[in-house]
């Protein structure tokens, strides 16, 4: 697959997402993460559940917003951190949606 094709695919996907959502609110919380609210702008969606509160960050962020993380998720996060990985959690409407673990590659 060519780099040009992948770049076009990525740009098309980002442009498509930009047309589907509007950023209503954004806060950068230093040392913790971000808090934002996204609203669906697609006319095909006509209900009152068109806005999403999104948190992306670390444990301090979720303590600030009183987000409850299940014991199973907490255990997995702890395991990843013990492996030396940086763990970033994504919460949508107070529900954990994703955990991303980052690890540096030392040369």
């Amino acid at each position: 697959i060519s780099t040009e094709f992948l770049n076009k695919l990525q740009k098309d996907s980002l442009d498509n997402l930009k047309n589907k959502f509007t950023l209503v609110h954004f806060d950068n919380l230093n040392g913790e993460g971000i808090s934002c609210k996204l609203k669906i702008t697609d006319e095909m969606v006509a209900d009152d559940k068109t806005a999403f509160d999104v948190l992306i960050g670390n444990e301090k962020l979720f303590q600030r917003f009183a987000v409850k993380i299940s014991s199973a998720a907490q255990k997995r996060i702890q395991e990843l951190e013990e492996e030396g990985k940086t763990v970033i959690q994504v919460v949508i409407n107070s529900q954990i949606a994703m955990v991303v673990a980052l690890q540096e590659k030392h040369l």
Side-chain angles (χ1 to χ4, degrees):
I1 300 175
S2 74
T3 304
E4 182 180 331
F5 173 77
L6 290 175
N7 289 338
K8 181 181 179 344
L9 180 64
Q10 183 178 20
K11 183 181 181 327
D12 288 348
S13 296
L14 288 174
D15 288 344
N16 193 21
L17 280 176
K18 288 177 188 175
N19 294 330
K20 300 253 184 236
F21 296 96
T22 300
L23 182 64
V24 177
H25 170 80
F26 181 88
D27 249 343
N28 176 17
L29 301 155
N30 288 334
E32 296 178 19
I34 65 164
S35 165
C36 66
K37 182 180 281 278
L38 297 174
K39 182 166 177 39
I40 297 175
T41 55
D42 190 341
E43 297 83 26
M44 301 293 286
V45 179
D47 63 20
D48 59 349
K49 297 182 181 178
T50 61
F52 300 93
D53 292 312
V54 180
L55 300 170
I56 302 172
N58 60 28
E59 187 177 344
K60 285 191 271 184
L61 179 71
F62 302 111
Q63 289 173 353
R64 175 192 291 262
F65 287 91
V67 173
K68 304 259 189 258
I69 305 293
S70 72
S71 58
Q74 285 177 345
K75 181 180 177 194
R76 184 62 183 134
I77 290 165
Q78 184 177 0
E79 290 169 354
L80 291 166
E81 288 174 339
E82 287 171 358
E83 293 173 11
K85 296 176 180 165
T86 300
V87 178
I88 301 169
Q89 300 164 61
V90 179
V91 169
I92 301 172
N93 290 343
S94 299
Q95 299 291 318
I96 193 159
M98 181 185 324
V99 174
V100 178
L102 305 173
Q103 182 174 8
E104 292 181 30
K105 182 176 180 179
H106 297 280
L107 301 175

